[in-house]
Amino acid sequence: MKIKLFPFLAHWPLEASVSGDVITINGEDIDLSGILDGFRLPGSAVDNKFFVETEYVERIGKTLQFTLRLPVHWDSPEEYRNPAGPIIVDARSGLVKLPNTSPVVVPVTELPYIREGKENGGLEQA
């Protein structure tokens, strides 16, 4: 399966795995084996919120191709919120390796504690 990922601002969890022509999304099995070579159907026909309704689910040769929503946060890494090009995952069997869209954690620098004292203008470092 070739899965194109469409960034979508949402707080949904997304886990997916593939076995043959079945993709399991958050525990829901979606059997796409009925799509024959050269045929396609709109994503809305799949009836799953992760499938992009305006994109097609199609089979080209033996490969199923479709677009899924990739949940991102407002502070997810820029390369996933606004990718320069399409993010495409080639999923063959097992767990689908999705990008980590967790918010970026900025390290916090601790400032030294300063206490009042008589020396050095009344301030000294602890």
Side-chain angles (χ1 to χ4, degrees):
M1 292 183 188
K2 288 206 184 282
I3 305 169
K4 184 165 68 169
L5 299 172
F6 175 77
F8 188 76
L9 187 61
H11 292 284
W12 304 334
L14 174 59
E15 289 186 7
S17 63
V18 171
S19 178
D21 288 343
V22 176
I23 183 165
T24 303
I25 299 176
N26 295 344
E28 178 187 351
D29 292 338
I30 301 165
D31 186 356
L32 302 172
S33 63
I35 302 172
L36 304 175
D37 182 23
F39 286 82
R40 65 184 185 177
L41 65 124
S44 59
V46 178
D47 193 31
N48 181 283
K49 70 181 179 182
F50 286 97
F51 279 78
V52 176
E53 297 89 352
T54 57
E55 296 285 323
Y56 288 105
V57 179
E58 60 187 332
R59 184 185 301 271
I60 299 173
K62 294 182 179 183
T63 306
L64 284 161
Q65 299 182 12
F66 51 89
T67 303
L68 292 181
R69 287 184 173 88
L70 176 66
V72 296
H73 303 268
W74 68 270
D75 55 351
S76 291
E78 179 72 17
E79 69 246 33
Y80 301 127
R81 286 184 294 120
N82 294 309
I87 301 171
I88 298 175
V89 176
D90 189 11
R92 299 188 187 274
S93 182
L95 194 62
V96 176
K97 189 169 181 156
L98 298 167
N100 181 0
T101 60
S102 298
V104 178
V105 177
V106 179
V108 176
T109 304
E110 288 191 34
L111 298 174
Y113 175 74
I114 299 175
R115 62 181 176 164
E116 291 185 38
K118 296 180 182 176
E119 303 167 7
N120 201 12
L123 299 175
E124 65 180 6
Q125 186 171 355

